[in-house]
Amino acid sequence: MASKFDYLRKNLYAMAELCLEQVLILDDAIEQENPDLAKQVIERDDLIDSLEKQNDNLSQNAILEAIANRNLLGMDQIDGEVILKKDPLRFALSSIRINRSLERMGDQIVNCATCYRRGLIPKGFFRQEEILDKMLSRVVTLVGMAVESLVEEKNRFYGSVHTVEEELNNLCHSAFLKFVLDPRLDKNQFADLYRMILGIERAGDYAVNIAEELVRLNTGMDIRHLSDPVQVTEKTKVS
């Protein structure tokens, strides 16, 4: 029983670390204006897809095994508010959600790499425009915090994740408004730049999804779509 869940956990960590490596390579590709690095991002996506399939099957099997063994593990005798992440069933369910977010995050990073590798965006454009450089920096930070939180199985970064996400969303919105009528870009160049802006924003969104799922795993609280999720999580820490 333990080895099955250990294998699932190990696979999930490996997938998360691959996603972090992908966004770091994308950042290097753009900073160094190196399309070969962008090609690496695209080619490595198969590794993430393979782990996603493995983790999906592992999670489903783990759920069935957890249900069958709940009584043997003594989970039927523990208060539901205390179980939280100690319950293998809860962990297996969270793994499915985290697995999907990681796979979709990987897809968004690949979309950005594909657009960049086409070479339509003028050389040096990202380095010349501070707002684009900040966007890349913030998404790297978000993915890094999500991965570290996952490996630690803690939600202590959630407040910071929420703050960086707001900043990233504002940057992406401002970038769209700034470049939509930029005379330096023709329609095809802007289309690829816009796809990259969307990909960066959505990669950040999936990092936040992972952080939210870790809050649910650790506290049992579903904080999605709340008006002030940070305040809710802070109150939980105090209590």
Side-chain angles (χ1 to χ4, degrees):
M1 181 68 178
S3 61
K4 180 182 291 292
F5 282 91
D6 286 343
Y7 189 43
L8 172 59
R9 185 176 278 107
K10 181 180 178 181
N11 254 23
L12 207 59
Y13 294 170
M15 188 177 177
E17 288 167 357
L18 271 173
C19 285
L20 177 56
E21 290 172 6
Q22 288 285 78
V23 77
L24 289 171
I25 295 173
L26 174 66
D27 186 43
D28 286 344
I30 294 173
E31 184 177 342
Q32 299 171 21
E33 296 187 343
N34 187 339
D36 289 337
L37 287 177
K39 183 181 179 182
Q40 280 185 37
V41 171
I42 297 166
E43 292 173 343
R44 284 160 48 96
D45 190 52
D46 287 343
L47 299 173
I48 295 176
D49 290 342
S50 177
L51 282 171
E52 190 269 338
K53 291 178 183 178
Q54 292 179 40
N55 290 341
D56 190 51
N57 290 327
L58 276 170
S59 297
Q60 292 183 48
N61 291 332
I63 287 170
L64 295 175
E65 190 166 333
I67 292 172
N69 289 277
R70 280 178 72 82
N71 291 353
L72 292 177
L73 290 169
M75 289 297 166
D76 58 323
Q77 302 170 14
I78 302 177
D79 183 85
E81 294 299 319
V82 177
I83 294 175
L84 300 178
K85 67 179 180 179
K86 296 180 181 178
D87 185 349
L89 179 57
R90 186 185 291 272
F91 175 76
L93 289 168
S94 285
S95 294
I96 290 178
R97 301 184 187 103
I98 293 170
N99 190 46
R100 288 174 182 165
S101 290
L102 287 170
E103 192 272 335
R104 290 169 182 169
M105 179 194 294
D107 286 345
Q108 295 303 325
I109 297 166
V110 168
N111 290 345
C112 291
T114 301
C115 289
Y116 182 75
R117 190 166 181 267
R118 265 197 286 266
L120 295 181
I121 300 171
K123 285 190 175 182
F125 198 78
F126 271 81
R127 285 190 293 180
Q128 293 168 12
E129 296 294 336
E130 184 181 2
I131 192 170
L132 297 177
D133 185 61
K134 284 184 177 179
M135 281 168 42
L136 285 167
S137 173
R138 299 308 180 270
V139 77
V140 168
T141 299
L142 270 177
V143 175
M145 286 193 292
V147 170
E148 186 173 347
S149 295
L150 175 60
V151 172
E152 292 183 357
E153 288 186 22
K154 295 179 180 178
N155 59 295
R156 65 184 178 90
F157 285 126
Y158 180 72
S160 299
V161 165
H162 184 74
T163 300
V164 177
E165 182 208 17
E166 284 191 337
E167 185 178 0
L168 176 61
N169 289 344
N170 289 334
L171 286 167
C172 290
H173 179 67
S174 298
F176 169 77
L177 295 177
K178 179 174 182 178
F179 300 119
V180 65
L181 296 176
D182 193 317
R184 294 172 296 173
L185 302 172
D186 63 30
K187 63 180 181 180
N188 292 320
Q189 291 171 323
F190 173 73
D192 269 356
L193 180 62
Y194 181 51
R195 291 187 188 103
M196 291 185 70
I197 291 171
L198 284 179
I200 289 169
E201 182 179 24
R202 288 171 180 169
D205 288 342
Y206 289 123
V208 174
N209 289 350
I210 293 169
E212 290 175 340
E213 188 56 42
L214 289 168
V215 171
R216 173 155 48 184
L217 180 61
N218 282 272
T219 69
M221 295 177 57
D222 187 349
I223 61 171
R224 296 173 300 169
H225 313 304
L226 296 181
S227 58
D228 193 349
V230 176
Q231 184 179 6
V232 173
T233 54
E234 289 301 317
K235 285 182 179 178
T236 303
K237 291 178 184 178
V238 172
S239 58

